[in-house]
Amino acid sequence: MAKSILVIDDTAFMRTTLRRMLEENGFFVAGEAENGEQAVEKYKELKPDLVTMDITMPVKNGIDATKEIMEYDPEARIVVVSAMGQKSVVIDALNAGAKDFIVKPFRPDRVIEALQKVAN
Amino acid sequence: MEVKVKIADMAVLKNSGLLVTVGLGSCVGIALYEAKLKLGGLAHILLSTSEHLSAEKRKDMNPAKFADTAIPHLIDNMKQEGARPQNIVAKIAGGSQLFEVSQEEMRVGNRNVEAVRQKLADCSIPLVAEDVGGNYGRTMKLDVSTGEVYISTVGRELKVL
Amino acid sequence: MVPDKSELTPEQQDMLRELVNIGIGNATTSLSRMLSNEKVTMEVPEVEVIPLQEVNEYVEQEKAIAAVFFEAYSDEFSLVLMFVVPVDSALTLANKVLQAESSSLGEMERSALMEVGNIVTSSYLNALSDMTGITFQPSTPSLAVDMAAAIFGTVMVTTGLVDDHLILCQTALETEKDNISGNIFVFPYQGLGYMFELMGVS
């Protein structure tokens, strides 16, 4: 059965790009969120298998959203996809509970690989 | 003849010609006009108030940056050319929000417009026309022979105040 | 705020050029990747101190541009980053990235531009962070499409870069085939003294 994914990014363009890419590779996009607060709400509502999480977002950033989701569900599988690739940011994200960190611009196969690995 | 008024700048012109300022985003352009003398003044302000500056900084500061200092200064400059404050009227433009921002403190445009309105009222200068707000930039031209103000933007019709 | 420097010594100018150089390679690589590996060339960074009043003269005032900016803050050193493209390049860029053939900058095109601008300037910041060991907090990026003078004036006012003089660092980028040209602007905002020391400049 296809794994379900929640796509989180504040830019419509990125959400559309990720959705297209994920659907082409056999994933089911359960929903989208455009900021950290929506991210947590949607996660609780949809209970997806996987999450792609941006970091720099209004209202609540991706690191805080990751922490909250992990608190709610310690089994959550979050892969961060962000333009913010500073070392300390990567460390913060992994410490918050993200399973992997991909810096934009990304190669689609890198993202798919990461998600498939985390899913299994 | 066109006299250019740059950002944080002001100028006065008499009889004929245009006072022009380009690029009013969050900034506000203040046009003051004394019809009897055909005397115009234009200021391009950046911020609402100079209150936060120390007394020392205020001495050397450029008055055209702030609404609260630019307006009295411009009036003085016009008085030096013979204008009588009771005959001066104002038209303003700008104070727009070019970038989508979620935080209130980023809405500088609105604050600038409010500060300008307030200072004009404090100086008893009637505000007779305005073209403010929105999410686009403006170029403002004051024709000192008529007191008319022309507002041009990217992709919209010319507006006359 | 940057201490009101009305001039920079040659060593300080060199250091600022280097500050731009450090990140630009990463930024151009990112842009190239987003354009399906189209070759992107960059020019030598320019560093200037200009009176605030001249900021609009510095750019082609009434030219319509698309600009993305954000602030990168840290205790040691903060800056404002901008990615600017003229509207015709902006449309070409958006279409290339969206693999579409739109004739105007609608919502999706603007979203694509915002993301490209975000990624390019973030790539710059990532490299700068790696080199200096400074961790920056970025603000959420914003996009505007309008006349250059209005955009630059607004960025100055919004970020508080309103001292009498402005230190402006910029570099021009250009694609080999697609006719996309753009500029990256770096405005040091606070902590320039710290940076001079870090890079060994008096």
Side-chain angles (χ1 to χ4, degrees):
Chain A
M1 208 186 82
K3 297 287 180 184
S4 65
I5 296 200
L6 171 61
V7 171
I8 303 160
D9 196 292
D10 63 340
T11 317
F13 160 71
M14 198 38 75
R15 292 194 302 274
T16 307
T17 304
L18 283 168
R19 176 185 277 270
R20 211 186 295 161
M21 191 183 86
L22 293 167
E23 283 170 353
E24 272 170 19
N25 281 276
F27 290 92
F28 165 64
V29 177
E32 296 175 11
E34 52 183 55
N35 62 54
E37 202 169 87
Q38 263 186 32
V40 179
E41 280 165 19
K42 290 269 169 149
Y43 188 88
K44 292 180 178 172
E45 184 195 316
L46 301 166
K47 301 204 206 308
D49 295 315
L50 299 157
V51 175
T52 65
M53 178 81 82
D54 184 15
I55 293 198
T56 310
M57 295 186 284
V59 184
K60 188 177 287 179
N61 68 48
I63 307 263
D64 289 341
T66 298
K67 285 187 186 146
E68 273 186 50
I69 292 175
M70 291 302 294
E71 242 180 70
Y72 169 77
D73 177 6
E75 308 284 307
R77 297 190 185 130
I78 301 172
V79 169
V80 170
V81 180
S82 169
M84 240 335 105
Q86 299 177 69
K87 280 204 184 85
S88 56
V89 174
V90 176
I91 291 172
D92 283 347
L94 297 174
N95 281 341
K99 299 282 186 284
D100 203 346
F101 194 119
I102 298 170
V103 183
K104 294 175 189 169
F106 52 76
R107 275 185 357 255
D109 48 304
R110 164 88 173 97
V111 177
I112 302 295
E113 232 178 78
L115 288 167
Q116 281 168 347
K117 206 158 129 196
V118 167
N120 306 316
Chain B
M1 156 169 192
E2 265 193 31
V3 172
K4 205 173 219 178
V5 172
K6 299 176 189 177
I7 196 171
D9 191 14
M10 62 171 78
V12 169
L13 187 65
K14 209 167 176 176
N15 287 326
S16 69
L18 296 170
L19 284 165
V20 179
T21 196
V22 181
L24 294 165
S26 302
C27 300
V28 177
I30 306 161
L32 298 181
Y33 191 63
E34 216 266 41
K36 290 201 170 85
L37 291 176
K38 290 198 201 295
L39 178 65
L42 184 64
H44 180 141
I45 64 112
L46 297 179
L47 296 167
S48 48
T49 175
S50 57
E51 266 169 23
H52 58 281
L53 292 179
S54 65
E56 205 195 301
K57 273 217 152 182
R58 278 164 162 260
K59 271 188 293 168
D60 305 315
M61 157 212 79
N62 170 6
K65 270 188 199 171
F66 308 97
D68 62 347
T69 48
I71 292 170
H73 214 88
L74 189 58
I75 294 172
D76 276 345
N77 289 354
M78 288 173 74
K79 274 159 79 174
Q80 277 172 31
E81 295 292 320
R84 301 176 72 196
Q86 55 266 46
N87 297 337
I88 297 178
V89 297
K91 295 179 181 175
I92 66 174
S96 50
Q97 200 61 49
L98 292 192
F99 294 91
E100 268 172 49
V101 285
S102 40
Q103 301 122 291
E104 185 51 48
E105 63 264 19
M106 301 269 267
R107 296 186 201 280
V108 196
N110 284 349
R111 286 208 301 284
N112 283 347
V113 171
E114 279 319 303
V116 168
R117 286 198 186 118
Q118 183 62 56
K119 198 64 187 177
L120 287 170
D122 290 347
C123 295
S124 307
I125 307 270
L127 177 58
V128 300
E130 61 177 42
D131 182 22
V132 299
N135 62 355
Y136 47 88
R138 297 170 171 89
T139 289
M140 184 180 195
K141 296 187 187 188
L142 168 64
D143 183 340
V144 303
S145 58
T146 62
E148 282 180 324
V149 169
Y150 302 100
I151 309 284
S152 48
T153 57
V154 173
R156 284 184 172 76
E157 273 177 33
L158 185 73
K159 193 164 180 179
V160 184
L161 298 180
Chain C
M1 297 277 182
V2 177
D4 209 341
K5 292 183 91 49
S6 48
E7 28 180 80
L8 295 167
T9 66
E11 292 86 24
Q12 290 172 335
Q13 281 191 350
D14 273 344
M15 183 234 103
L16 285 167
R17 251 178 236 117
E18 194 47 40
L19 201 69
V20 180
N21 261 329
I22 282 172
I24 279 305
N26 219 28
T28 39
T29 304
S30 288
L31 183 60
S32 169
R33 283 219 197 111
M34 284 183 284
L35 298 174
S36 316
N37 296 317
E38 165 75 32
K39 185 162 179 199
V40 177
T41 51
M42 59 187 233
E43 303 210 353
V44 175
E46 279 173 28
V47 172
E48 281 187 59
V49 181
I50 59 172
L52 181 67
Q53 288 181 340
E54 302 302 316
V55 76
N56 286 346
E57 317 304 303
Y58 188 83
V59 300
E60 257 179 82
Q61 303 194 27
E62 294 187 278
K63 182 171 185 174
I65 59 168
V68 175
F69 89 97
F70 67 82
E71 298 174 70
Y73 171 80
S74 78
D75 287 335
E76 303 93 327
F77 176 56
S78 303
L79 44 145
V80 174
L81 287 164
M82 260 178 96
F83 178 62
V84 172
V85 284
V87 284
D88 43 9
S89 281
L91 190 58
T92 310
L93 182 57
N95 279 334
K96 180 120 194 195
V97 160
L98 289 165
Q99 290 173 340
E101 276 176 33
S102 211
S103 52
S104 66
L105 290 174
E107 223 180 288
M108 196 41 99
E109 289 74 25
R110 291 172 65 113
S111 186
L113 276 174
M114 170 111 98
E115 191 62 14
V116 171
N118 174 38
I119 291 175
V120 169
T121 44
S122 296
S123 298
Y124 167 85
L125 199 65
N126 293 340
L128 187 64
S129 173
D130 275 349
M131 275 296 286
T132 59
I134 297 174
T135 299
F136 296 95
Q137 315 274 26
S139 65
T140 319
S142 320
L143 166 80
V145 180
D146 211 298
M147 62 174 101
I151 288 182
F152 274 78
T154 301
V155 170
M156 299 303 114
V157 174
T158 308
T159 58
L161 277 165
V162 293
D163 286 336
D164 290 339
H165 291 91
L166 181 70
I167 297 179
L168 188 153
C169 313
Q170 68 101 351
T171 189
L173 309 172
E174 200 163 332
T175 59
E176 204 172 61
K177 282 185 292 178
D178 288 326
N179 259 330
I180 296 172
S181 66
N183 295 71
I184 293 182
F185 286 85
V186 179
F187 298 101
Y189 177 85
Q190 167 269 119
L192 203 51
Y194 175 90
M195 286 309 286
F196 285 146
E197 247 184 75
L198 186 71
M199 315 263 290
V201 172
S202 49

